[in-house]
Amino acid sequence: MKNKNLEICIDLPMENYQFSRFNWTGKITSVKFKGIPISTQEKMNGDPDNVFGKGFYNEFGIELPVGFDEVKEGDDFIKIGVGALQKEGKKYAFSHAYHIKPASFKHFKDFNKLTLHCNSGNVNGYSYELHKEIELLDNSFVIRYRLKNTGEKTISTNEYCHNFLAIDKELMSSNYILKFPFDLKQDLFDELLNPERKVIVNREHITFYDTPEEQFFYGNLTGNKTVPASWELINTKSKIGISESGNFTTSKINLWGWKHVISPELFFDIDLKAGQETEWSRTYKVFELDE
């Protein structure tokens, strides 16, 4: 999808990435703003086999997919937006390549909108219908979700968008500033991985004093407090910024990154009894900074 400002590249469910981690519905592989890349990919050295994350891939149940603990090894459990996965081992590992029986997918195209439907079928008493809509606007795009529990058992999980970001392909540096709508207090984070001490966490924002060669990670930046689901990333060199705003509050925000990428992640909690449904959305705006 494309207009005068934005170009969004989207893979359909059975195109390219078909592994067991990320949601297959509407895989946004890249976004450009006036010809300038805004997103990147998980691995700096490329991904010829389409194994890793790109652009604005999202995921359900990164810690524990629906029904994993209830089945024995060799039986199937549900990974929302992917299909039925075959259990291996006692502990779920999101990076493991599980055997997949794909869910059923449909999609409908419009000039500025893509709508996708995913139907799981029944897996050990669990069943759902997922609807995802991606709409391109003037200088923004909106991702809308609707999830209905069509099974017998309660669905308790969460969803987030990984947001693989790099503006104009620039490596992480002091030119990047990541802002959140709340005070950042490192002593309240669940996890802190900053081996080279190149990531600088201030009360108002996060930046870098040098390009990190190793991966960094901060777990739960909110300190378990409920906050508005939003962030803003600006690049002072290219004078371009991008923001995400959810129509929900969140008590969990993670941050992962590397030399070439930064990924703020806003989590949406899901708890649906049989027959219930929920809706949520994420709005991304791309903008130029005032001189």
Side-chain angles (χ1 to χ4, degrees):
M1 294 189 292
K2 186 176 182 179
N3 61 25
K4 64 180 182 180
N5 292 320
L6 288 174
E7 178 183 312
I8 302 177
C9 294
I10 305 169
D11 281 346
L12 297 176
M14 307 311 292
E15 292 178 332
N16 296 318
Y17 179 90
Q18 293 179 48
F19 289 85
S20 55
R21 179 180 182 183
F22 293 111
N23 175 17
W24 292 11
T25 60
K27 295 166 284 189
I28 300 176
T29 61
S30 67
V31 171
K32 291 182 180 180
F33 175 68
K34 297 184 177 180
I36 295 172
I38 301 299
S39 63
T40 185
Q41 54 190 13
E42 185 175 349
K43 299 291 183 179
M44 190 174 185
N45 58 354
D47 182 20
D49 297 321
N50 293 294
V51 176
F52 301 106
K54 296 180 179 70
F56 296 81
Y57 283 11
N58 76 302
E59 179 182 9
F60 289 84
I62 181 173
E63 294 95 356
L64 191 66
V66 177
F68 179 88
D69 282 343
E70 299 177 23
V71 299
K72 65 180 183 296
E73 190 155 356
D75 287 347
D76 292 339
F77 63 94
I78 275 181
K79 182 74 169 179
I80 295 177
V82 179
L85 276 52
Q86 187 177 75
K87 183 173 181 176
E88 296 180 43
K90 294 182 179 180
K91 187 175 181 181
Y92 176 73
F94 66 82
S95 59
H96 182 72
Y98 293 92
H99 180 267
I100 305 166
K101 297 174 185 173
S104 175
F105 299 95
K106 295 180 181 179
H107 69 273
F108 305 91
K109 296 180 181 179
D110 203 343
F111 76 98
N112 71 329
K113 188 182 296 185
L114 178 65
T115 303
L116 303 108
H117 303 284
C118 174
N119 191 317
S120 68
N122 189 295
V123 180
N124 192 33
Y126 291 102
S127 180
Y128 67 85
E129 292 177 358
L130 172 65
H131 301 262
K132 181 176 178 181
E133 180 183 277
I134 304 167
E135 182 177 12
L136 175 63
L137 302 174
D138 184 49
N139 65 337
S140 64
F141 61 98
V142 184
I143 307 175
R144 301 182 182 92
Y145 304 86
R146 184 170 78 252
L147 181 67
K148 182 175 182 179
N149 184 350
T150 57
E152 306 161 4
K153 299 180 180 178
T154 297
I155 293 176
S156 294
T157 187
N158 55 29
E159 180 271 346
Y160 74 100
C161 189
H162 207 302
N163 301 320
F164 296 96
L165 306 172
I167 297 173
D168 202 13
K169 299 182 180 180
E170 185 177 357
L171 301 180
M172 297 302 106
S173 70
S174 59
N175 292 326
Y176 284 99
I177 301 172
L178 178 62
K179 302 176 183 179
F180 293 95
F182 56 90
D183 289 347
L184 296 166
K185 300 177 181 178
Q186 288 195 64
D187 57 335
L188 299 180
F189 296 174
D190 286 354
E191 189 175 346
L192 194 159
L193 177 66
N194 183 16
E196 302 165 289
R197 300 179 182 271
K198 293 181 178 179
V199 185
I200 302 171
V201 180
N202 295 312
R203 183 172 63 87
E204 301 89 357
H205 63 262
I206 292 173
T207 187
F208 303 86
Y209 83 83
D210 200 1
T211 301
E213 298 294 332
E214 298 184 40
Q215 297 181 49
F216 58 90
F217 179 77
Y218 292 92
N220 204 357
L221 275 63
T222 73
N224 295 315
K225 294 182 179 179
T226 300
V227 298
S230 68
W231 53 261
E232 178 183 273
L233 178 69
I234 63 172
N235 186 293
T236 57
K237 181 180 178 181
S238 64
K239 299 189 181 302
I240 292 175
I242 179 173
S243 67
E244 177 190 359
S245 298
N247 68 341
F248 53 91
T249 57
T250 183
S251 59
K252 182 176 181 179
I253 300 175
N254 287 349
L255 177 67
W256 173 84
W258 207 344
K259 182 176 185 176
H260 64 293
V261 60
I262 187 166
S263 296
E265 304 164 351
L266 308 175
F267 282 75
F268 177 75
D269 288 330
I270 297 166
D271 189 32
L272 297 175
K273 293 182 173 62
Q276 292 183 334
E277 65 178 54
T278 186
E279 298 182 11
W280 68 103
S281 66
R282 302 173 181 274
T283 299
Y284 293 85
K285 296 181 180 179
V286 189
F287 53 91
E288 294 174 301
L289 304 181
D290 296 331
E291 295 292 341

